[in-house]
């Protein structure tokens, strides 16, 4: 089930340079799973398309969304005040297959603004054999404290100011991390590297993809990605990221 | 109060349908909208065989609207007949199937396959700006339009709506050509070809370079074209282009549209179709209009 | 950093001018904008004799833009030469005079009168959708466009810019026709014909029924057309349509425009022209571009 | 001189059903004359044209604007909060010729949402032989208390709930008001009646016209009205309401 409603903004904070969070009270919270996302509708009337934002955390009927100010829409979000009503649609997409992490060694990888959805996943896999691996630009990190409460955290920073200098793959190599399954969200080069690593190491990787979206519900066919199998909608190996994704088994997609 | 309208013998409970390609086959929006409330569901363009569509990026936002270059990805007519028509038949609404193709033969092929199907009308998309072959070429040349309309009319068992492109010098000429060839109705406008450039990456935003523009930004052009067609030909018109509320829909109806379609507005508001239907009724009450047919083309 | 560009031998200090009809002859905006900062001022269309223009309502707002049906009210070329040219000569900017007419003879008459005047370029408006005779008729037919361009080129002493209408099926054909007839440059787009209906009063908002649409809403169409023309002909292009900030202007330049014009944006922000000029320089700094000419048509 | 600036909203109130006022601190105030107007720019980015609003009162570097919620723009204005910045352009237009009211018997007539500019005019003519005549729909009046402080006030209401039942012309007739000059602002039928009355009674009338505007400064030629004389811009008897107006001598214009 999916809900589209005006939801109340309970709290909003700046987490680091250009990174903000909002907590919103919504019926979507009770339905949400890790790796799913919501559409947030900007109010300015020249800005018509909703913005896809991952679910970072769910608790007490509230959703926590963490986002980077990118353009017009996210800029507008960052100016919202507590108490304001925000129109959202969700939960959308398939989410991470949490059960695949049960009883196995997992690495949860977030890179850049792909970090947020990893938190709710880490909570869902709490108690399992999990390592979290987060990649940031520099020491201006976010959500790292939240991660530490869930599982051991390894960090990569581009400038080397914290953790391993480089990217998340450098951490895996340097720390010689081993796993049966990877769950990841982040920039395309990182996802490509993970796909390759998974193939070479016989590991299963679930990666969360980004694509431009208009509807978010599978109607417009705007957000497709190439798949190795026939997609369920058009049978042309073009799965909809918003519906069949955003999480795909890495071996299924051509990225 | 009567809100029902008739086109080529088919009666619609109200004048509101969905714009092809913005509502899938209704499935995805059926959790937000009771499809039985709609005058009709107009489905995404369907071809003879499955089409891949264009590479991504396929959609982007522009000021007051959006560009899309989906490129008519679709599962082909066979899957459509097996899956989408039975789904829609569960609802108390009319079905308008949007048809696309690369050659006259392909269009005719789809129309033939649909002839035995329980659908109410066919909308022929000769105006998609996002595919290289066919489509818009038929919609930008009156002769070509007349020809394809004739061929389709030969085999069609359901009434035929020709969907016109706004990317022409004189839309009225296209309406006349469609009518002359026997079209039962016309629908307009399809998207206006536009382009967005990413000035930081110094490249086109859309993989296809150009895309079709839709949304509120195009409404004044659409209303004008509906008006021009209504003055030029006496066949029913399905008006669309930027309709996001009842007031917008009424503008089209007053300009001469018998029905209207809600397109990109579904993306900014999943409830848009139903809100348009409700709003039209409220307007009729406020204005003491007992029959919607009185409003059609009332502004001249 | 070089921001100067050249068209037909005329050098402009920067690529920014005003869109005809949105800036008068500069007088009204000179208290907000130092006209000497502008690459050029393009003046409101001027005819052989004074024109009354259309009845009011002449302007109205639409989503993300506006419609106008001024109908080319102007004082005629004689008053213009006496009053407006001397005014503009006080500033260190180039003067582009926009010319309108109902017949080829009228256009030619204005151009002749301007031949001895100290103006830098002529922009021939064959694309105004708001007058019944002349104007857009020349801009919607490649033959007619070619013919009028030739006649004007015979008498013009200054370089000639043909201003194209977007209300055509293939803008590239119009660009080719203008070039074939000897135009020194083309400018586009003029407004897109639109309509707004007042659903409460059940009538057209504009006295002229239709009006020309401008503003941010039309930008994607304008960028696409500039790109298509830049690919089709190798003459300089002045791009316009919805430019309200430097980012918009750069989109046009990357698409192939040598200059850009700021139109309706002046109404929402009297400082728009100067802000565009400043913003272009900032962008060039950010992107390490030393010569603006490197950006012209850089996206292909 | 005209100024375009972001000005601070000092105070805002609802005056009656659908009628609001705002006080804004702006350099425009020191330049403004009765009958002039300002352009107020809505913020919503789908609403691009500025809205012409008459200057109702000037004091202490502040402008008072009184407006009716009509459509999108004025609706937006009515939601502004104190402290908000509002972009305005002004003062625009010629204003009322105050000197023509000196030493003469004047009637100042405001009808409907044409009432506001009459206030600053009444203040400018304070001490002269002035009667104010205001027409409202019903007893839900606004600015009437302000008027009484400046000069005797006569009221017409459509429903007769206050003053004379009918319109402002009915008041003139019933009360047998006499004058040398009329200053008026209001709906077109009222202005037409005043023009006729002025012609028949040898009275000079200055009327403030409304027209749709885009630029407000005389550049777009959107806002013209037919005049009996050649206009200064195009010499075609089409004066610009924003520049040559909004106030015209009634005999000069065809309305
Ligand atoms: C499934 C999914 C989950 C996401 N989760 C998050 C998250 O948790 N936190 C976060 O900060 N960002 C997330 N993003 C990216 C986020 O959607 C974009 O940053 C955002 O849409 C930019 O909007 P804007 O108005 O600020 O930028 P603009 O550049 O003004 O946006 C213009 C248009 O492009 C679209 N767009 C621009 N960048 C992207 C992008 N990277 N991905 C998709 N659409 C884009 C916008 O939605 C809008 O339609 C996610 C994207 C997807 C697809
Ligand atoms: C010189 C002048 C002074 C005015 N003074 C006042 C005043 O003091 N108080 C007040 O309440 N109103 C005044 N008006 C009318 C006011 O400008 C309109 O009510 C307002 O522009 C409506 O804007 P909107 O966005 O609410 O309506 P919308 O209908 O959404 O406006 C759409 C477009 O039409 C224009 N428009 C709509 N109605 C009018 C109108 N009656 N006159 C001019 N343009 C209009 C708008 O400016 C906008 O461009 C004045 C008008 C003029 C010309
Ligand atoms: C994402 C998208 C896909 C579309 N696909 C089709 C299509 O398959 N067939 C068609 O005839 N029109 C298609 N259209 C055009 C719409 O049906 C409609 O004509 C156009 O979008 C204008 O209406 P709007 O402004 O309300 O969206 C599509 C439009 C969009 C935005
Ligand atoms: C009020 C108004 C008057 C115009 N008058 C003219 C004119 O006289 N001659 C002309 O060639 N174009 C005229 N135009 C068209 C503009 O020059 C320009 O081509 C168009 O508005 C698109 O640019 P914009 O979106 O930046 O406004 C006019 C436009 C407006 C809005
Ligand atoms: S966003 Fe429309 S199908 Fe995915
Ligand atoms: S509003 Fe532009 S000339 Fe008056």
């Amino acid at each position: 089930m999916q809900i589209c409603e005006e939801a109340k903004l309970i709290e909003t904070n700046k987490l680091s340079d250009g990174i903000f969070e909002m907590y919103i009270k919504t019926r979507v919270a009770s339905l949400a799973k890790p790796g799913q996302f919501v559409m947030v509708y900007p109010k300015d009337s020249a800005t018509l398309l909703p913005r896809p934002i991952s679910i970072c955390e769910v608790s007490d009927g509230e959703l926590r969304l963490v986002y980077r100010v990118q353009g017009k829409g996210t800029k507008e979000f960052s100016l919202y005040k507590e108490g304001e009503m925000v129109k959202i649609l969700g939960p959308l997409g398939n989410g991470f297959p949490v059960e695949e992490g049960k009883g196995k060694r997992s690495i949860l990888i977030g890179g850049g603004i792909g970090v947020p959805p990893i938190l709710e996943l880490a909570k869902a896999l709490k108690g399992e054999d999990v390592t979290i691996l987060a990649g940031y630009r520099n020491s201006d990190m976010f959500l790292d404290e939240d991660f530490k409460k869930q599982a051991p955290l390894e960090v990569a920073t581009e400038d080397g100011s914290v953790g391993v200098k480089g990217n998340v793959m450098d951490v895996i190599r340097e720390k010689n991390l081993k796993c049966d399954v990877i769950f990841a969200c982040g920039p395309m080069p990182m996802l490509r590297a993970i796909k390759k690593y998974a193939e070479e190491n016989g590991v299963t990787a679930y990666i969360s993809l980004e694509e431009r979206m208009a509807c978010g519900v599978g109607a417009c066919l705007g957000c497709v990605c190439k798949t190795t199998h026939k997609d369920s909608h058009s049978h042309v190996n073009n799965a909809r990221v918003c519906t069949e994704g955003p999480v795909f088994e890495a071996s299924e997609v051509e990225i | 109060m009567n809100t029902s309208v008739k086109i080529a013998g088919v009666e619609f409970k109200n004048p509101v349908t969905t714009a092809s390609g913005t509502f899938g086959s209704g499935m995805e929006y059926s959790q937000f909208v009771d499809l039985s409330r709609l005058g009709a569901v107009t489905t995404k363009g369907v071809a003879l065989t499955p089409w891949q569509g264009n590479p991504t990026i396929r959609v982007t936002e522009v000021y007051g609207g959006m560009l899309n270059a989906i490129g008519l990805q679709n599962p082909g007519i066979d899957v459509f007949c097996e899956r989408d028509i039975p789904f829609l038949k569960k609802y108390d609404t009319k079905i308008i199937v949007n048809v696309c193709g690369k050659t006259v033969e392909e269009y005719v092929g789809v129309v033939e396959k649909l002839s035995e199907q329980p659908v109410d009308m066919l909308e022929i998309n000769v105006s998609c700006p996002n595919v290289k072959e066919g489509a818009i070429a038929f919609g930008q040349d009156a002769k070509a339009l007349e020809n394809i309309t004739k061929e389709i009319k030969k085999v069609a068992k359901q009434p035929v709506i020709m969907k016109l492109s706004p990317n022409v010098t004189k839309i009225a000429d296209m309406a006349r050509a469609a009518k002359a060839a026997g079209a039962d109705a016309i629908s307009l406008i399809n998207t206006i070809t536009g382009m967005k450039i990413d000035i930081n990456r110094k490249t086109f935003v859309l993989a296809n370079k150009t895309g079709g523009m839709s949304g509120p930004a195009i409404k004044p052009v659409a209303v004008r074209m509906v008006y021009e067609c209504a003055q030029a030909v006496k066949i029913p018109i399905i008006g669309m282009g930027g309709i996001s509320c009842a007031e917008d829909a009424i503008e089209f109806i007053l300009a001469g549209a018998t029905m209207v379609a809600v397109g990109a507005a579904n993306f900014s508001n999943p409830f848009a179709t139903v809100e348009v239907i409700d709003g039209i009724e409220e307007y009729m009450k406020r204005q003491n209009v007992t029959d919607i047919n009185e409003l059609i083309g009332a502004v001249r």
Side-chain angles (χ1 to χ4, degrees), chain A, chain B:
Chain A
M1 198 178 89
Q2 291 164 351
I3 290 171
C4 180
E5 67 175 12
E6 296 277 340
K8 191 167 189 169
L9 184 61
I10 302 297
E11 193 185 323
T12 172
N13 301 296
K14 183 170 174 174
L15 294 186
S16 82
D17 190 29
I19 308 280
F20 293 78
E21 65 175 359
M22 48 175 149
Y23 288 89
I24 42 184
K25 179 130 214 120
T26 164
R27 291 185 292 145
V28 175
S30 64
L31 304 166
K33 294 189 305 174
Q36 287 188 304
F37 66 101
V38 294
M39 281 294 201
V40 185
Y41 296 78
K43 298 180 190 192
D44 185 283
S45 40
T47 319
L48 289 160
L49 295 181
R51 275 35 181 181
I53 304 287
S54 299
I55 288 163
C56 170
E57 207 178 347
V58 187
S59 55
D60 294 341
E62 286 180 21
L63 286 186
R64 180 188 193 184
L65 307 179
V66 172
Y67 59 95
R68 175 155 62 204
V69 171
Q70 171 91 3
K72 273 166 122 187
T74 47
K75 172 84 202 159
E76 183 190 301
F77 301 159
S78 72
L79 301 173
Y80 288 171
K81 303 255 167 7
E82 285 161 26
E84 193 145 348
M85 300 305 285
V86 185
K87 189 168 134 190
I88 64 163
L89 164 67
L92 301 173
N94 55 359
F96 289 110
V98 176
E99 61 293 351
E100 300 297 327
K102 298 268 165 77
K104 299 185 194 151
R105 288 172 306 168
S106 319
I107 309 183
L108 281 40
I109 308 179
I113 198 56
V115 158
I118 299 304
L119 181 56
E120 185 63 22
L121 177 63
K123 285 171 69 182
L125 287 175
K126 185 143 189 164
E128 302 288 333
D129 182 351
V130 165
T131 307
I132 302 175
L133 210 173
Y136 301 98
R137 270 190 213 149
N138 51 40
S139 61
D140 201 6
M141 299 183 290
F142 54 95
L143 294 179
D144 47 318
E145 291 304 323
D146 300 77
F147 284 137
K148 285 182 196 156
K149 287 182 200 141
Q150 306 304 330
L153 172 70
E154 299 288 346
V155 168
T157 53
E158 284 171 30
D159 66 355
S161 54
V162 184
V164 172
K165 182 179 162 86
N167 59 36
V168 293
M169 299 319 288
D170 295 319
V171 181
I172 294 186
R173 215 170 305 117
E174 271 194 32
K175 305 258 166 169
N176 200 18
L177 298 181
K178 298 275 174 234
C179 65
D180 308 307
V181 49
I182 291 176
F183 299 90
C185 183
M188 200 47 99
M190 178 188 109
L191 298 182
R192 284 201 194 99
I194 290 171
K195 178 176 157 76
K196 186 154 169 278
Y197 174 89
E199 275 161 18
E200 291 170 358
N201 292 273
V203 165
T204 312
Y206 296 97
I207 57 179
S208 180
L209 301 185
E210 264 189 14
E211 192 44 76
R212 303 297 167 111
M213 298 182 173
C215 71
V217 297
C220 75
L221 306 181
C223 66
V224 299
C225 79
K226 288 249 149 290
T227 48
T228 50
H229 58 85
K230 287 208 169 168
D231 63 278
S232 66
H233 179 278
S234 305
H235 304 201
V236 290
N237 300 16
N238 263 344
R240 295 163 297 183
V241 172
C242 70
T243 316
E244 281 89 59
V247 179
F248 293 92
E249 223 241 84
S251 63
E252 289 181 329
V253 287
E254 291 170 22
I255 54 174
Chain B
M1 184 159 62
N2 174 45
T3 59
S4 74
V5 295
K6 228 182 208 171
I7 297 184
V10 180
E11 187 164 327
F12 301 88
K13 64 172 71 154
N14 63 51
V16 179
T17 183
T18 56
S20 174
T22 65
F23 206 74
S25 292
M27 236 170 270
E28 290 81 8
Y29 280 103
S30 61
Q31 54 183 330
F32 305 109
V33 170
D34 173 6
L35 303 184
S36 297
R37 293 247 11 235
L38 306 180
V41 169
T42 303
T43 56
K44 169 75 184 165
V46 61
L48 201 52
T49 53
W51 285 14
Q52 288 256 338
N54 290 322
T56 57
I57 294 176
R58 289 181 174 184
V59 292
T60 188
E61 189 178 76
V62 294
Y63 207 105
M66 62 176 286
L67 298 178
N68 90 78
I70 308 297
L72 294 172
Q73 176 179 331
N74 78 85
I77 187 66
D78 294 335
V79 171
F80 181 84
C81 291
E82 254 165 57
R83 178 184 65 190
D84 298 322
I85 298 177
F87 167 80
L88 279 170
K89 285 314 280 182
K90 293 187 293 180
Y91 296 90
D92 176 22
T93 187
K94 299 288 188 241
I95 304 174
I96 302 178
V97 179
N98 184 280
V99 174
C100 58
K102 290 186 177 116
T103 60
V104 174
E105 292 66 40
E106 276 179 41
Y107 281 97
V108 167
V110 180
V111 170
E112 276 174 340
K113 292 223 179 191
L114 283 166
S115 65
E116 302 309 321
Q117 291 287 329
V119 302
D120 300 287
M121 282 201 163
L122 311 179
E123 180 180 57
I124 312 300
N125 178 5
V126 286
S127 44
C128 177
N130 300 322
V131 294
K132 289 218 174 50
E133 306 145 274
I136 202 167
F138 297 111
Q140 289 187 318
D141 178 71
K143 279 257 140 29
L145 177 64
E146 209 171 316
N147 178 49
I148 193 172
T149 308
K150 272 192 193 136
E151 295 303 318
I152 285 168
K153 276 300 287 180
K154 279 186 200 155
V155 296
K157 292 271 161 53
Q158 295 92 349
V160 169
I161 307 158
M162 297 306 292
K163 181 160 180 182
L164 305 185
S165 168
N167 302 294
V168 296
T169 307
K170 289 215 175 87
I171 192 79
D173 288 350
M174 307 308 289
R176 283 190 203 99
K179 162 136 205 233
D184 299 284
I186 51 175
S187 60
L188 67 154
I189 58 174
N190 208 315
T191 53
I192 308 182
T193 312
M195 176 181 283
K196 185 172 172 186
I197 288 175
D198 182 327
I199 65 166
N200 295 314
R201 298 192 303 123
K202 295 215 190 87
T203 176
F204 308 98
V205 172
L206 298 176
N208 189 50
K209 294 189 183 180
T210 59
M213 187 167 163
S214 60
I218 69 168
K219 196 188 67 175
V221 178
V223 172
R224 185 260 297 182
M225 289 189 164
V226 164
Y227 176 80
E228 286 179 357
C229 289
Q231 300 310 304
V233 294
K234 292 283 155 268
I235 51 175
I237 296 173
I238 303 179
M240 70 197 79
I243 296 176
S244 59
C245 60
E247 285 70 24
D248 296 339
I250 292 157
E251 261 196 87
F252 280 86
I253 294 170
L254 290 171
T258 299
M259 281 187 91
V260 294
V262 177
N266 291 300
F267 307 152
S268 24
N269 175 13
F271 308 110
T273 44
V274 180
E275 288 177 10
V276 168
I277 294 167
D278 291 342
I280 291 175
E281 289 187 13
E282 281 160 31
Y283 170 85
M284 287 174 67
K285 256 182 229 147
R286 232 172 28 241
Q287 294 263 328
N288 272 319
V289 177
T290 49
D291 185 348
I292 188 133
N293 290 282
E294 292 166 25
L295 295 175
I296 299 170
V299 171
R300 265 182 225 102

